[in-house]
Amino acid sequence: MNAGVLPRWVVALAVAGGLFVVLPVVALALRVDWPRFVPLVTSDSARAALLLSLRTSLSATALCVLFGVPMALVLARTAFRGQRLVRSLVLLPLVLPPVVGGIALLYTFGRRGLLGSTLSAAGIDIAFSTAAVVMSQAFVALPFLVLSLEGALRSVGTRYEAVGATLGAGRWTVLRRITLPLVLPALVSGAVLSFARALGEFGATLTFAGSLEGTTRTLPLEVYLQRETDPDAAVALSLILVVVAVAVVGVAHRVRPLAGGAPAPGPARTGGLR
Amino acid sequence: MPSNQGSALALATAVVFLAGACGAGGPDAGDGAVGGAAGEAIGGSITVFAAASLTASFTDLAARFEEAHPDAEVALNFAGSSDLAIQIIEGAPADVLATADAENMGKVRDAGMLTGDPVDFATNTLQLAVPPDNPAGITSLPDAAAPGVKTVVCAGQVPCGAAAAAVEQAAGVDLEPVSEESSVADVLGKVTSGEADAGLVYRTDVRAAAGTVRGIDVPEAAGVVNTYPIAALPDSADAATAEAFVDFVTGTEGQAVLRAAGFGAP
């Protein structure tokens, strides 16, 4: 690292900030009861929670990709009235306290919610189901995918797409052969971040889905509950979450540098200068 | 902490208190632990850690205590009892601790952080809470165990869940909950929002949520009693004030407030 170009105090503050983030994780690791670690994290309830978490987070990520890619494309490649407002609203779950998100979901899809009676008429009962967990996770994770993909779409610009179109490629061909391959790294890193956010989801799940082993009690909820009686188990499970999170962030970082790797020439970014 | 809202509350309760004192007449005036003689040492600010189920009662009690001791200030911290115990053991600055069970108070005592013995000051029992329109038509605990009925309880790891399991056993009913929540507030939330048909919560929670839920008595619940202990912590900077608050809660006025909220006598 070449620190020579920066004032020393900037480096000092950066180190302090880094310690602020890393130290608590170290403190957590120091509290782990290592001799009991394996039995603690392989107990029936822990395994059920981990498997449920992985299953629901993958499903939530799939939902995020399914809906998030079109959302990012619409935001980056079209212009319509109120687009800024729409973008802010889409990013709302990012700043909303998750518990509030859970309450909002409850008032929408709950038994007495906005769509509740319609859904139950159709025989769909979401409350207290694994589907409710996936919805909570997708709700909070979606902005991560939309945000990173929209940014990438804007920075690669529309130049290649325009060339493709003049050469006779249809809209679907342009999207499939030019746009998506260009932003694939951002799509992957966005999906990985969404997965990580889904894995850590707690507040919305607790509020909207409840907590039942094997059905709705994901790993964060299990940590929260274990802490009541067995703090050692809670710490051990927390460490598992930390390890998964670090691995996920690592993957996202390896992919990320490529995302903005092909900066398009200025004039092409028409959408970005508003 | 309860400064803004607290002053209005204090004013309101002062009026009630005065009216009560007038009605009760002379002999009662000197009663209670909040005597004038002890008053001179009582001041400064204390922090009271209290179980979540005490939120309404202790907010009221703190206001009344501040009213009785104008130099004293009471800051309140409400959380689940196990959270409070962990916070105190990890060094949170508390002067008084009131938990919803003996076990979590025991954790703090085992950590060598209490000098005296905690005093039991209230009891609580479970009741079945249903939405006001009672969509599943529940009238008893067995109804809540019927197939298709969405019943929510606390998880076995928290005091209200342990109590729920004991009530189930006493009643010979095997509930199949759709969710086992980490706190009684979460159980109540599922019922008030109408997501659940029934939930086992404390009697005081039903009382506090009057209008949004209806309480249904479970006869067997009377035999499963949660006892609330309170203790002053020795490291307290204002030890006299902390002791006075404990005396206030266990004294005549404190007990009256708790009884009005639905708590039982210890």
Side-chain angles (χ1 to χ4, degrees):
Chain A
M1 186 179 123
N2 176 17
V5 295
L6 289 173
R8 281 174 200 277
W9 62 268
V10 171
V11 177
L13 283 177
V15 169
L19 283 176
F20 177 63
V21 173
V22 171
L23 213 52
V25 179
V26 173
L28 186 74
L30 289 176
R31 282 288 182 100
V32 172
D33 185 356
W34 291 108
R36 279 179 69 212
F37 183 76
V38 172
L40 283 176
V41 299
T42 53
S43 70
D44 285 348
S45 58
R47 283 224 311 271
L50 181 61
L51 285 177
L52 180 69
S53 269
L54 292 175
R55 217 150 44 89
T56 52
S57 302
L58 282 173
S59 310
T61 308
L63 281 182
C64 287
V65 171
L66 178 66
F67 295 105
V69 172
M71 285 164 76
L73 285 166
V74 167
L75 285 175
R77 290 290 185 266
T78 65
F80 55 90
R81 272 176 67 128
Q83 190 173 21
R84 271 182 165 169
L85 182 69
V86 169
R87 180 182 296 110
S88 325
L89 289 177
V90 165
L91 300 183
L92 206 56
L94 212 56
V95 290
L96 215 58
V99 179
V100 177
I103 294 174
L105 285 170
L106 197 61
Y107 288 165
T108 314
F109 300 102
R111 207 149 56 147
R112 301 197 172 168
L114 214 53
L115 307 176
S117 50
T118 317
L119 288 170
S120 45
I124 302 169
D125 201 356
I126 293 172
F128 306 117
S129 69
T130 305
V133 176
V134 174
M135 288 170 69
S136 307
Q137 292 173 338
F139 183 78
V140 296
L142 190 57
F144 285 84
L145 192 121
V146 175
L147 202 63
S148 54
L149 195 58
E150 195 206 343
L153 282 166
R154 288 184 181 283
S155 65
V156 297
T158 54
R159 203 186 181 199
Y160 298 112
E161 294 167 11
V163 171
T166 55
L167 293 176
R171 291 180 184 193
W172 168 233
T173 308
V174 169
L175 185 63
R176 191 167 46 95
R177 303 282 301 274
I178 301 174
T179 315
L180 289 181
L182 273 176
V183 294
L184 190 63
L187 176 58
V188 172
S189 76
V192 168
L193 282 175
S194 295
F195 175 80
R197 181 66 190 88
L199 196 66
E201 213 307 301
F202 172 76
T205 308
L206 191 69
T207 318
F208 180 48
S211 172
L212 191 68
E213 186 177 317
T215 306
T216 50
R217 189 175 295 151
T218 56
L219 203 47
L221 269 69
E222 175 74 10
V223 169
Y224 187 62
L225 186 61
Q226 284 298 339
R227 198 191 45 130
E228 295 283 344
T229 46
D230 191 353
D232 288 340
V235 169
L237 291 173
S238 305
L239 198 70
I240 296 279
L241 269 178
V242 168
V243 169
V244 174
V246 167
V248 160
V249 171
V251 169
H253 248 266
R254 286 176 73 94
V255 183
R256 188 155 268 262
L258 299 168
R269 344 162 140 209
T270 44
L273 302 168
R274 309 177 62 219
Chain B
M1 196 191 94
S3 53
N4 251 339
Q5 167 204 16
S7 54
L9 239 175
L11 200 72
T13 51
V15 173
V16 174
F17 186 37
L18 280 175
C22 293
D28 256 306
D31 196 58
V34 215
E40 45 211 22
I42 294 168
S45 117
I46 56 167
T47 303
V48 175
F49 278 33
S53 46
L54 295 166
T55 304
S57 318
F58 267 46
T59 305
D60 185 9
L61 285 173
R64 288 170 184 248
F65 182 79
E66 286 173 340
E67 184 64 28
H69 304 285
D71 292 337
E73 211 172 297
V74 181
L76 296 165
N77 172 35
F78 297 107
S81 296
S82 61
D83 274 334
L84 297 173
I86 291 170
Q87 285 166 4
I88 289 178
I89 291 168
E90 298 292 333
D95 301 300
V96 175
L97 171 65
T99 60
D101 62 347
E103 197 181 319
N104 282 299
M105 183 63 87
K107 282 189 209 163
V108 179
R109 194 220 295 255
D110 292 347
M113 305 184 85
L114 296 182
T115 40
D117 282 327
V119 186
D120 293 338
F121 69 96
T123 60
N124 216 343
T125 50
L126 294 182
Q127 210 178 15
L128 210 47
V130 298
D133 57 349
N134 198 358
I138 289 163
T139 57
S140 68
L141 193 63
D143 287 351
V149 173
K150 292 189 173 187
T151 302
V152 179
V153 297
C154 287
Q157 285 90 335
V158 291
C160 60
V167 169
E168 281 183 63
Q169 202 180 4
V173 171
D174 194 11
L175 295 176
E176 276 184 29
V178 291
S179 183
E180 297 171 355
E181 305 285 338
S182 304
S183 80
V184 71
D186 288 325
V187 175
L188 197 67
K190 298 291 188 293
V191 179
T192 53
S193 67
E195 284 310 297
D197 297 316
L200 268 176
V201 298
Y202 289 120
R203 177 174 295 278
T204 53
D205 298 312
V206 175
R207 181 91 55 116
T212 55
V213 295
R214 249 171 58 194
I216 292 169
D217 275 326
V218 178
E220 292 80 5
V224 181
V225 180
N226 257 45
T227 303
Y228 288 56
I230 187 169
L233 299 168
D235 293 342
S236 174
D238 289 294
T241 312
E243 288 291 348
F245 187 80
V246 171
D247 290 342
F248 183 73
V249 171
T250 53
T252 320
E253 191 185 351
Q255 289 297 300
V257 167
L258 288 162
R259 219 63 78 242
F263 287 99

